[in-house]
Amino acid sequence: MKRDILSILDLPDLMEVLDRAVELKSGQTTGRELGGKSLAMIFEKSSTRTRVSFEVAMTQMGGHAIFLSPDDTQLGRGETISDTAMVLGRFVDAIMYRAYRHTDMVELAKHSRVPVINALDDLEHPCQIAADMMTIREHKGRLKGLKLAYVGDGNNVSHSLLLGGAMMGMDVVAGCPDGYRPDAGIVAKAAEVAQGSGSTVDVVSDPFEAVKGADVVYTDTWVSMGDEEQVAQRKRALLPYQVNGELMSAAKSDAIFMHCLPAHRGNEVSDEVMDGKQSVVFDQAENRLHAQKAILLTVING
Ligand code: CP
Ligand code: NVA
């Protein structure tokens, strides 16, 4: 049976995926197991890290990646997602999809006979969170029992973090203003997962309360792709949630700062924190490559 990764919850074996990613990063294994395999990559939205890391991952593992944008495929001229899925499945071994709508992600997976990997939609960003968990474990030596604070907009990245952190037994707190809280259904699901792994999930309004005693402080853009018409109101509401030196000092003194990138310096994060010694954002970006190699090997080769 094919294995789709539409949510971080579709990686119940995340710890094994991380172990494999670490082996690939250290050079203990090469991952050159995808000779002759192809990955179609559909991008409805812009990307730097996701596009480059998936393409390099396929190349380094002996396979090939094909970049597809709706503008220059028939998707942009009205071919349906279901027909596209059925056609691509006849050519390639897996499909990576960055979509506006999670419903389109589900539709593509439903009609594709090859595995579909969610490379970000309006609900989740599972590949990012796999790399994030790898990065936290690399810097902290463990995941279970750590406190992870996400501050800012309750968006796709926050959703996968709440779920992924709970899966790994981390205490996850989101500090978000009213109107920008994570989806209530996701929070409820994360709380249920946390209960099973002996941790907690919480959403609070005060960013200092969220960050207090945290081992990891995480933020993301205030204006996700697709939210561009709300720039002014978002900046107003989210300004008190900027991760700056003052907010970081509420966390543990050895806390790390994370951001999925791209960062908007001066908005959700100050230069001082982005460039400071607690920041691990570029390790985090690099780990996209290693974590996605492990995910590709898992879904393509099992
Ligand atoms: N973090 C992330 O997904 O970056 P890109 O949008 O550049 O792919
Ligand atoms: N939340 C951001 C993440 C970008 C990688 C967005 O969806 O635009």
Side-chain angles (χ1 to χ4, degrees):
M1 237 224 347
K2 68 157 178 147
R3 181 160 172 203
D4 299 316
I5 310 295
L6 306 192
S7 163
I8 191 74
L9 295 173
D10 295 325
L11 285 169
D13 49 350
L14 181 56
M15 208 48 114
E16 286 153 47
V17 170
L18 300 188
D19 290 342
R20 200 167 194 179
V22 169
E23 284 172 20
L24 289 157
K25 183 172 184 175
S26 68
Q28 211 177 318
T29 54
T30 63
R32 284 196 72 83
E33 296 166 34
L34 298 187
K37 304 283 187 185
S38 299
L39 173 73
M41 308 192 297
I42 307 172
F43 281 95
E44 289 178 3
K45 304 177 182 175
S46 306
S47 170
T48 298
R49 280 144 289 270
T50 306
R51 180 177 174 180
V52 176
S53 56
F54 265 106
E55 188 158 341
V56 169
M58 284 304 289
T59 304
Q60 290 184 353
M61 296 195 294
H64 181 66
I66 305 155
F67 174 78
L68 301 168
S69 95
D71 289 343
D72 37 48
T73 59
Q74 300 291 4
L75 267 173
R77 298 184 62 257
E79 186 164 20
T80 64
I81 289 178
S82 54
D83 288 347
T84 304
M86 287 191 274
V87 170
L88 290 177
R90 301 290 178 109
F91 297 129
V92 301
D93 301 281
I95 304 172
M96 186 235 81
Y97 185 24
R98 172 165 284 195
Y100 276 99
R101 296 194 299 248
H102 187 69
T103 47
D104 289 342
M105 184 69 64
V106 172
E107 174 81 355
L108 188 88
K110 184 175 160 199
H111 295 280
S112 165
R113 69 181 189 191
V114 298
V116 171
I117 301 171
N118 179 353
L120 181 148
D121 60 24
D122 55 356
L123 195 65
E124 279 208 51
H125 195 359
C127 297
Q128 178 67 54
I129 273 49
D132 297 343
M133 293 299 150
M134 179 182 179
T135 310
I136 297 169
R137 206 175 63 165
E138 205 168 46
H139 283 273
K140 293 281 165 201
R142 67 191 169 107
L143 293 170
K144 200 170 171 55
L146 295 179
K147 177 177 175 181
L148 165 61
Y150 175 89
V151 281
D153 181 28
N155 61 15
N156 45 8
V157 169
S158 79
H159 291 163
S160 295
L161 262 184
L162 283 161
L163 294 168
M167 281 164 68
M168 297 290 100
M170 302 174 83
D171 294 324
V172 193
V173 183
C176 310
D178 282 350
Y180 298 93
R181 292 188 156 212
D183 176 80
I186 296 270
V187 175
K189 181 69 201 171
E192 185 190 316
V193 173
Q195 210 171 25
S197 58
S199 66
T200 58
V201 163
D202 210 357
V203 182
V204 300
S205 302
D206 180 356
F208 285 89
E209 184 189 341
V211 162
K212 191 168 177 232
D215 300 281
V216 181
V217 179
Y218 197 122
T219 193
D220 183 19
T221 182
W222 294 338
V223 185
S224 283
M225 292 179 277
D227 292 337
E228 288 83 359
E229 75 289 355
Q230 306 165 3
V231 174
Q233 76 241 47
R234 285 178 163 272
K235 280 193 180 173
R236 250 193 326 273
L238 288 154
L239 192 61
Y241 296 78
Q242 183 190 71
V243 181
N244 49 36
E246 193 193 348
L247 189 60
M248 273 310 283
S249 65
K252 282 194 183 148
S253 57
D254 64 350
I256 54 173
F257 169 72
M258 301 181 77
H259 191 311
C260 60
L261 306 181
H264 303 80
R265 290 163 176 262
N267 286 337
E268 75 271 8
V269 60
S270 66
D271 279 327
E272 162 197 31
V273 170
M274 245 320 257
D275 301 326
K277 62 179 189 334
Q278 288 167 281
S279 172
V280 300
V281 299
F282 299 111
D283 291 340
Q284 189 184 352
E286 179 191 329
N287 285 339
R288 294 292 302 278
L289 173 69
H290 311 297
Q292 282 159 202
K293 277 185 176 174
I295 291 172
L296 286 165
L297 287 169
T298 303
V299 302
I300 296 177
N301 277 1

